């Protein structure tokens, strides 16, 4: 496993982290505590030092499982959690008191004295652009309740606004072979300002594993079923905003045209992201320990050729971009 600076020279994390949404059991198959511990143990064995969760994942279940895990083993895991999507505040009840209460609840569930990284969780643009919420975050950092703060955002515009905020450590974005807009302006500016980039959905909700076909179905409780057209939240959070059938078609085309010999689609897709030095960390989820091995192996794979990167950029502009839906 290789490591990168999330906050310039202050917070170093594994370049492959663990996304922990699935530990909350909000979508797909519910994960038992034993399986959750097996997944987290396997991550640690592979050198992972960064777990990403949120207060709303399983209504706190994900944080609670991580907290139990941290108590059960000696690790140097850095935990990032989020605030802003709980029904008690979203979309129009944000306050400093609510933020503080959320942080205190997360600290209790995680069993920590201070949160390593607290991220705004795709909050409404009007709340974000008002800017006062960053004052609240700075106050929490000054008090020691959080060590650093960042923002998880839906659009490039939101990201560009956030990286101008004093004291911000990181930005979490959707970025993968099927969603490349961040390359043009956001990544270069974040790199120049030494602001870390955390990439969620590196495999586009599984499209980039190459395991789906147009007849693949998902459980009723899986967001890949109930949010495939943006019915529940931003459509970009599911299949990177692509219609499922079109996403399958494009993924197959990428596999046939560009997949290097000896790599799986998942390895190839995640390696493509890590080749961009503005990226600090990818946070693929995992529903089994075996998936952890595959994801973490990406860190040791050689960089893709510059020619291949140019070909994939052209393929995105000519064949993919027009099909992406939702705010972006």
């Amino acid at each position: 496993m290789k490591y990168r600076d999330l906050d310039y020279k202050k917070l170093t994390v594994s370049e492959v982290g663990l996304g922990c949404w699935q530990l909350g059991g909000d979508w797909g198959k519910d994960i038992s505590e034993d399986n959750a511990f097996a997944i987290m143990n396997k991550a640690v064995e592979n050198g992972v030092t960064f777990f990403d969760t949120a207060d709303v994942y399983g209504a706190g279940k994900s944080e609670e499982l991580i907290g139990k895990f941290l108590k059960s083993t000696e690790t140097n895991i850095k935990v990032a959690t989020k605030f802003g999507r709980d029904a008690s505040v979203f979309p129009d009840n944000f306050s400093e008191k609510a933020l503080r209460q959320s942080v205190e609840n997360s600290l209790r569930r995680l069993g920590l004295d201070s949160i390593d990284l607290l991220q705004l969780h795709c909050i409404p643009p009007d709340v974000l652009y008002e800017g006062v919420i960053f004052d609240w975050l700075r106050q929490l950092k000054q008090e020691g309740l959080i060590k650093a703060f960042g923002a998880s955002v839906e659009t490039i515009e939101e990201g560009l606004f956030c990286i101008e905020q004093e004291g911000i450590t990181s930005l979490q974005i959707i970025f993968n072979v099927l969603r490349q807009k961040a390359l043009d302006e956001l990544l270069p500016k974040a790199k120049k300002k030494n602001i870390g980039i955390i990439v969620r959905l590196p495999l586009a909700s599984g499209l980039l594993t190459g395991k789906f076909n147009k007849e693949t179905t998902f459980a009723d409780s899986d967001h890949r079923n109930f949010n495939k057209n943006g019915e529940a939240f931003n459509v970009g959070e599911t299949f990177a905003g692509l219609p499922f059938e079109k996403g399958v078609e494009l993924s197959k085309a990428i596999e046939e045209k560009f997949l290097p010999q000896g790599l799986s689609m998942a390895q190839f897709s995640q390696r493509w992201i890590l080749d961009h030095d503005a990226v600090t960390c990818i946070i693929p989820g995992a529903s089994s320990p075996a998936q952890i091995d595959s994801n973490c192996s990406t860190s040791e794979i050689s960089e893709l050729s510059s020619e291949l990167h140019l070909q994939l950029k052209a393929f995105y502009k000519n064949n993919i971009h027009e099909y992406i839906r939702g705010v972006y």
Side-chain angles (χ1 to χ4, degrees):
M1 178 65 69
K2 296 182 177 65
Y3 300 85
R4 303 186 184 188
D5 289 327
L6 184 65
D7 188 5
Y8 185 65
K9 303 296 184 184
K10 296 178 183 177
L11 179 59
T12 301
V13 298
S14 54
E15 62 182 16
V16 180
L18 177 64
C20 297
W21 184 9
Q22 75 285 356
L23 300 187
D26 293 304
W27 58 278
K29 296 180 180 179
D30 192 24
I31 292 180
S32 68
E33 183 170 318
D34 286 346
N35 193 23
F37 268 58
I39 289 168
M40 288 186 280
N41 271 314
K42 179 61 72 170
V44 171
E45 289 173 11
N46 276 275
V48 170
T49 63
F50 185 74
F51 288 2
D52 178 89
T53 185
D55 58 349
V56 291
Y57 294 169
K61 179 183 176 183
S62 177
E63 288 182 333
E64 289 174 352
L65 286 169
I66 292 170
K68 289 181 180 179
F69 177 76
L70 295 177
K71 288 180 182 177
S72 71
T73 183
E74 292 186 8
T75 71
N76 61 342
I77 293 296
K78 304 299 182 184
V79 178
T81 192
K82 307 184 193 76
F83 159 81
R85 297 296 292 194
D86 185 84
S88 65
V89 296
F90 188 89
D92 55 8
N93 197 31
F94 287 85
S95 68
E96 185 173 9
K97 180 180 179 181
L99 171 59
R100 186 176 294 273
Q101 185 63 60
S102 174
V103 167
E104 290 174 353
N105 290 339
S106 290
L107 286 170
R108 174 179 48 80
R109 288 189 289 262
L110 291 165
L112 298 173
D113 296 321
S114 181
I115 293 171
D116 294 305
L117 176 66
L118 180 69
Q119 304 161 100
L120 300 178
H121 196 178
C122 301
I123 65 174
D126 59 334
V127 178
L128 185 73
Y129 294 141
E130 183 183 16
V132 68
I133 197 166
F134 291 99
D135 293 331
W136 304 341
L137 290 168
R138 284 186 279 267
Q139 179 62 34
L140 290 174
K141 182 178 178 181
Q142 184 176 338
E143 294 175 21
L145 292 175
I146 64 175
K147 296 175 182 175
F149 62 85
S152 179
V153 298
E154 299 284 11
T155 71
I156 299 300
E157 179 184 336
E158 290 169 355
L160 291 170
F161 174 80
C162 287
I163 63 175
E164 298 298 331
Q165 304 310 304
E166 181 182 353
I168 194 166
T169 286
S170 63
L171 201 63
Q172 186 177 135
I173 63 172
I174 304 170
F175 177 58
N176 54 54
V177 174
L178 299 173
R179 197 176 175 96
Q180 299 185 28
K181 188 177 178 181
L183 283 173
D184 296 333
E185 185 177 7
L186 184 58
L187 291 191
K189 286 191 173 182
K191 181 183 176 182
K192 186 175 181 180
K193 289 178 172 289
N194 293 317
I195 292 171
I197 294 291
I198 301 165
V199 173
R200 67 184 186 273
L201 297 174
L203 296 175
S205 307
L207 274 180
L208 290 169
T209 64
K211 296 179 180 179
F212 299 160
N213 58 50
K214 293 182 179 181
E215 285 70 50
T216 300
T217 58
F218 304 95
D220 290 345
S221 60
D222 194 319
H223 75 102
R224 293 173 293 185
N225 178 31
F226 69 75
N227 193 60
K228 63 183 178 181
N229 294 308
E231 297 91 338
F233 41 82
N234 180 16
V235 68
E237 301 288 349
T238 304
F239 302 129
L242 292 167
F244 176 67
E245 293 77 8
K246 175 57 68 173
V248 169
E249 177 185 317
L250 291 168
S251 179
K252 293 297 183 185
I254 290 170
E255 182 175 2
E256 292 171 2
K257 294 175 181 289
F258 305 114
L259 180 65
Q261 187 174 3
L263 297 184
S264 69
M265 268 294 286
Q267 290 172 321
F268 167 53
S269 300
Q270 293 177 97
R271 184 64 254 173
W272 179 87
I273 299 170
L274 290 176
D275 281 356
H276 298 92
D277 60 4
V279 171
T280 305
C281 180
I282 59 175
I283 49 170
S287 58
S288 71
Q291 290 178 343
I292 296 289
D293 287 330
S294 174
N295 292 335
C296 289
S297 69
T298 307
S299 181
E300 301 302 323
I301 294 171
S302 299
E303 291 187 7
L304 306 176
S305 70
S306 56
E307 179 183 2
L308 182 52
H309 275 280
L310 289 173
Q311 291 172 342
L312 287 164
K313 187 173 184 178
F315 185 79
Y316 167 77
K317 289 184 175 180
N318 296 329
N319 302 90
I320 300 174
H321 177 70
E322 64 180 298
Y323 295 105
I324 295 176
R325 302 168 296 170
V327 293
Y328 182 21

